[in-house]
């Protein structure tokens, strides 16, 4: 099960697609659907997050509308999981540099909150110019 979460309201992010190798995508959620935290995603899902970002936060390109730090990211994703469910993999794709640092901060936040013990977290950044690369692409950095 592959779930896409758009954690930005910027048009370029909203229009970004996944490489065809990701298919089938089970659901694609906008920021307006992600933010209320009531999606009830099943255990073991693969979640692909698309947003603008840097080493400290993801969200919109301009500050002040959607600004998500690692702790908030953890709360948003976990808040959208069904009761006691955890994602198997999280792929965070950003058009800004430093996403590996952000993904590492998410891993630290998960360890501090004693969740996502077996969840693999990956980071990727490229300018918005095409689809999000497939999971097995070398542009993804796994954060242990």
């Amino acid at each position: 099960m592959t779930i896409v979460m758009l954690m930005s309201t910027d048009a370029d992010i909203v229009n970004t697609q996944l490489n065809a190798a990701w298919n089938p995508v089970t659901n694609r959620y906008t920021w307006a659907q992600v933010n209320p935290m009531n999606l009830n995603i099943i255990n073991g899902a693969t979640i692909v997050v698309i947003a603008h970002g840097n080493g400290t936060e993801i969200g919109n390109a301009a500050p002040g509308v959607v600004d998500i730090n690692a702790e908030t990211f953890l709360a948003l994703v976990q808040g959208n999981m069904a009761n006691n469910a955890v994602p198997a993999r999280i792929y965070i794709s950003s058009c800004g540099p430093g996403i590996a640092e952000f993904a590492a901060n998410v891993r630290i936040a998960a360890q501090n909150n004693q969740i996502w013990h077996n969840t693999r977290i990956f980071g990727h950044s490229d300018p918005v110019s095409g689809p999000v690369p497939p999971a097995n692409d070398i542009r993804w950095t796994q954060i242990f």
Side-chain angles (χ1 to χ4, degrees):
M1 168 182 255
T2 301
I3 304 291
V4 175
M5 290 183 170
L6 303 171
M7 292 198 184
S8 173
T9 58
D10 292 338
D12 57 346
I13 298 300
V14 171
N15 292 316
T16 298
Q17 298 298 312
L18 273 61
N19 181 287
W22 283 101
N23 285 334
V25 172
T26 308
N27 287 301
R28 182 178 173 97
Y29 296 111
T30 65
W31 173 244
Q33 294 169 300
V34 170
N35 192 29
M37 295 189 288
N38 60 4
L39 298 176
N40 290 315
I41 297 169
I42 66 168
N43 191 55
T46 295
I47 299 174
V48 181
V49 174
I50 308 171
H52 287 284
N54 56 48
T56 57
E57 67 181 22
I58 63 169
N60 283 6
V65 179
V66 179
D67 304 308
I68 303 165
N69 65 21
E71 292 80 14
T72 302
F73 179 89
L74 180 70
L76 281 166
V77 173
Q78 192 58 43
N80 277 298
M81 301 300 295
N83 192 26
N84 297 318
V86 295
R89 291 177 181 83
I90 298 176
Y91 292 84
I92 308 167
S93 180
S94 165
C95 61
I99 202 62
E101 178 185 350
F102 179 82
N105 289 334
V106 170
R107 168 57 68 206
I108 291 167
Q111 289 173 334
N112 289 342
N113 286 281
Q114 298 181 358
I115 61 172
W116 295 0
H117 302 295
N118 296 315
T119 300
R120 293 181 176 176
I121 301 173
F122 301 84
H124 158 266
S125 64
D126 267 339
V128 177
S129 61
V132 174
N136 60 353
D137 193 283
I138 63 170
R139 291 174 280 182
W140 290 103
T141 301
Q142 183 174 356
I143 307 302
F144 295 96

